[in-house]
Amino acid sequence: MGIIETVEQGLKSSGADITSIGKSVCGNNILCAHRGAYSGKQIIITAAIHARECYTALVVLKQIRDFRVGRGGVYFVPLVNPDGAAFFESGNTFGHEFLRTNAHMRKAWKANADGVDLNCNFDANFGTGAQQSQVAPAAHGYVGEYPLSAPETKALAAFTLSVIPAATVSYHCMGGELYWQFFQDEARRQRDSKFAAAIAKHIGVKKVDGELNSAGGYKDFCVQKLGIPAVTIELIKRGTHPFAPSDYDDDIMANADLPTFILDYIYGE
């Protein structure tokens, strides 16, 4: 069973409220689950925005299953880039010509079906990132023609603005690190640093300080446009891409209760 089917079945059996926040380039639904109350503070957790990191979705599926009802609620988007994920995993191109002509690159693929690196395509210092050197569609590193030009980023940004979450978490791979900073003013920097440190300690990863020439990412967008704490968590401390589902087993367990931990933290402030 492929990652798209795994996510679909996992969500269906979870008991969560399921909806689609939009469609990908190839017409796949970008599914979202909600657990907890719709009143009170909400957080958004996303995964698999990069194709070769698609098994980060398994961490989110575990969180949905294990969520403990308390105050507030959580929106989970486990597979932001379904086209890229299926292409990386099995070579499925959904009949898309650009993917078909790049079949030899699929194990290195991070982009969507149009060759846009989705985590460079948000409206947050767009096009200024140190790693964004591609000037045309590619397996990774191409920012797109303009901010939110990809249907996946457009959908996620619009959804985020409709929710106005108290915080967001984005799962990536690899490094065992957590990134949180994006040119906050001093008051927000202190608040967000404390938030990031609590999460890093809880799940056993390294908190990394500094903007690090980041730009156009979902975390960057949430920090800059909404003024909220937002973190990017890089799972799997060491190894070499591509990773298998079993490589995420330790991270799945370490992060299982993170949504509840974050809500408890936010309400405890």
Side-chain angles (χ1 to χ4, degrees), residues 173-177 234-241 243 247 251:
C173 171
M174 59 168 285
E177 297 176 330
E234 298 280 355
L235 302 175
I236 304 183
K237 290 182 172 64
R238 59 187 61 85
T240 304
H241 284 285
F243 291 105
D247 293 323
D251 289 302

Side-chain angles (χ1 to χ4, degrees), residues 28 35 59 67 72 78 92 100 108 113 118 131 137 142 161 163 165 170 185 189 198 207 212 218 236 243 248 255 268:
N28 286 300
R35 295 296 306 270
V59 174
F67 182 75
N92 188 345
R100 188 189 67 78
L118 298 178
Q131 304 301 317
Y142 174 58
L161 292 173
V163 171
S170 306
D185 60 32
R189 182 178 291 111
K207 171 177 170 279
L212 304 175
Y218 180 61
I236 304 183
F243 291 105
Y248 291 86
N255 287 265

